[in-house]
Amino acid sequence: MGVTSSQLCSLLTKFTALNGLNTYYFDPKTNAFRGSWKLKIYCAIHHALCVLALAHMSYSTPSNMRVSVTVLTIGGTMACCVKSCWEKAQGIRKLARGLVNMEQKYFAGRPSGLLLKFRYYIKITFGSITLLRIHLIQPIYMRRLLTSQFYLNLGAYWLLYNMLLAAVLGFYFLLWEMCRIQKLINDQMTLILARSGQRNRLAKMQQCLRLYSKLLLLCDQFNSQLGHVAIWVLACKSWFQITYGYEIYQMVAAPKSIDLSTSMRVFVIFSYILDAMNLFVGTDISELFSTFRADSRRILRETSRLDRLLSMFALKLALHPQRVVLLNVFTFDRKLTLTLLAKSTLYTICWLQSDYNKLKA
């Protein structure tokens, strides 16, 4: 089953609604996004519980820097999600509706290609593993960090982390769908330009360019609507890398100072690697987006019959960002991943150096 199926789109919107990201869901029977007053009441209660969870975790562990920074980064993500959920313009809903309408009207049933399929299944696998890890093994690991009111703190952590995970999945699959549509438009344009003698060539090319213009507008919406959430999610991921990396270095430099069983040490190493791979896969699909955008420019540039219509669109395409840009500042690509991992490692080493004498003692 592909990501473009109505059932999966419905499942994804219901999962994000369950975690307080939106007050609507996709109905596969009517092929439309439906709002519900019950969902609005549910999201209001969910958001109130998230605020209480943040407050409780902040005040119950004030001296634990690790928990405090985790609460801060997840709290920033939650604030952005709550804002987008209740904003009057409903920008993310319009973005999702635009992508779904384009998919169902023009590209339904067409293959995505091996590159996109592979990345889709990889992300589904990593997301499922993360969900199981957080709910089954993380409680055992967190027992030593949350010494008082453990079950209440654990429930608060689950509530907040599920919202973070839902935001990540929503971001990824919207970006994946944009990549898919861009690739299919490129394939269609290549076919039209390769067959110069076919009937209605101009009309077919005009339709492709109209679709591409719609996609460019949706890409701009994506960059503006999801920029703040993406920045906070990256902050969360970086902090998780720092904390897990600190414990890994601690196992190597001062193994007696860390109170972890062998199974929990394996869990820490596994979590560190999994989070790094999750971050890499997220930016990898962004690199694919840039590749497809470059292919579009190449197709328009290399055609032997570059008429005025194509020249005008090539200029329009050149004026749009060639990569996924967050808040018109950060380019979401593989270079960003490597920079975050490098900075996280550097901060981890500095943190360990400042604590080394204390750990050795």
Side-chain angles (χ1 to χ4, degrees):
M1 181 176 64
V3 71
T4 54
S5 68
S6 299
Q7 291 79 10
L8 188 59
C9 183
S10 175
L11 182 64
L12 182 61
T13 53
K14 287 175 181 176
F15 179 73
T16 53
L18 183 66
N19 289 288
L21 267 68
N22 45 265
T23 58
Y24 54 86
Y25 65 96
F26 181 75
D27 186 358
K29 295 180 181 178
T30 59
N31 283 329
F33 287 87
R34 295 189 172 277
S36 167
W37 63 269
K38 293 180 181 179
L39 267 179
K40 289 182 179 180
I41 294 175
Y42 171 82
C43 284
I45 296 172
H46 187 279
H47 296 158
L49 289 174
C50 285
V51 172
L52 291 174
L54 280 173
H56 175 75
M57 289 188 72
S58 298
Y59 287 109
S60 63
T61 54
S63 60
N64 192 324
M65 186 187 76
R66 178 172 180 177
V67 177
S68 298
V69 178
T70 301
V71 168
L72 175 65
T73 52
I74 295 183
T77 308
M78 186 208 75
C80 293
C81 292
V82 171
K83 177 182 175 296
S84 64
C85 178
W86 294 108
E87 68 177 358
K88 193 173 181 180
Q90 292 286 293
I92 295 179
R93 180 175 182 172
K94 291 177 182 177
L95 170 63
R97 183 169 57 214
L99 290 172
V100 169
N101 288 343
M102 285 185 70
E103 171 65 38
Q104 293 183 341
K105 192 173 181 180
Y106 301 104
F107 305 110
R110 295 179 60 179
S112 302
L114 289 177
L115 289 176
L116 283 171
K117 253 186 199 177
F118 174 73
R119 284 160 177 80
Y120 161 65
Y121 286 116
I122 283 290
K123 190 60 180 179
I124 284 289
T125 303
F126 284 168
S128 302
I129 293 172
T130 301
L131 198 61
L132 293 173
R133 171 172 66 92
I134 292 301
H135 288 275
L136 297 181
I137 308 175
Q138 191 80 8
I140 305 171
Y141 170 75
M142 292 184 65
R143 185 175 288 276
R144 67 189 181 88
L145 299 175
L146 305 173
T147 53
S148 62
Q149 299 178 323
F150 171 72
Y151 291 105
L152 190 58
N153 279 316
L154 180 63
Y157 182 80
W158 277 345
L159 190 69
L160 296 168
Y161 196 93
N162 283 343
M163 179 178 274
L164 171 67
L165 182 59
V168 170
L169 290 177
F171 177 91
Y172 185 86
F173 286 121
L174 286 173
L175 181 56
W176 191 97
E177 182 61 30
M178 289 195 304
C179 285
R180 169 180 157 82
I181 292 175
Q182 191 167 240
K183 176 189 178 299
L184 294 177
I185 293 176
N186 284 349
D187 293 345
Q188 196 167 334
M189 288 171 62
T190 302
L191 187 62
I192 292 170
L193 294 173
R195 299 177 181 177
S196 57
Q198 64 179 307
R199 296 177 59 186
N200 301 324
R201 178 176 180 268
L202 181 60
K204 291 179 180 178
M205 179 56 67
Q206 285 176 335
Q207 184 187 29
C208 278
L209 298 185
R210 278 196 297 270
L211 290 176
Y212 215 129
S213 296
K214 289 181 181 178
L215 180 62
L216 290 176
L217 291 175
L218 292 173
C219 291
D220 291 341
Q221 278 185 263
F222 178 88
N223 292 339
S224 61
Q225 290 293 327
L226 294 167
H228 293 88
V229 175
I231 293 299
W232 279 106
V233 167
L234 289 173
C236 290
K237 294 290 184 183
S238 298
W239 179 244
F240 294 153
Q241 287 296 107
I242 290 169
T243 53
Y244 287 130
Y246 179 86
E247 292 189 333
I248 291 173
Y249 285 120
Q250 191 178 349
M251 293 175 202
V252 176
K256 295 181 180 180
S257 64
I258 185 168
D259 184 21
L260 280 178
S261 64
T262 304
S263 58
M264 284 297 100
R265 295 186 184 207
V266 172
F267 169 76
V268 169
I269 297 171
F270 172 76
S271 297
Y272 181 85
I273 296 172
L274 182 65
D275 283 344
M277 292 179 69
N278 258 320
L279 187 59
F280 179 82
V281 168
T283 50
D284 190 48
I285 191 68
S286 180
E287 288 286 338
L288 203 58
F289 175 89
S290 304
T291 301
F292 290 148
R293 182 64 61 86
D295 287 344
S296 302
R297 297 177 67 187
R298 178 185 54 78
I299 291 167
L300 295 174
R301 186 172 61 248
E302 290 182 356
T303 177
S304 58
R305 299 184 63 180
L306 190 64
D307 53 23
R308 184 180 177 185
L309 177 68
L310 298 183
S311 300
M312 291 174 61
F313 185 78
L315 177 61
K316 181 179 180 179
L317 186 61
L319 296 175
H320 279 75
Q322 303 305 306
R323 295 177 176 271
V324 179
V325 181
L326 306 176
L327 306 179
N328 293 322
V329 177
F330 302 100
T331 303
F332 188 69
D333 56 10
R334 195 171 295 138
K335 184 179 178 181
L336 178 63
T337 303
L338 298 176
T339 302
L340 285 175
L341 292 175
K343 294 293 184 182
S344 300
T345 304
L346 177 63
Y347 186 87
T348 303
I349 294 172
C350 293
W351 187 9
L352 186 66
Q353 284 178 336
S354 66
D355 290 350
Y356 185 72
N357 290 331
K358 181 177 67 176
L359 294 174
K360 274 295 187 182

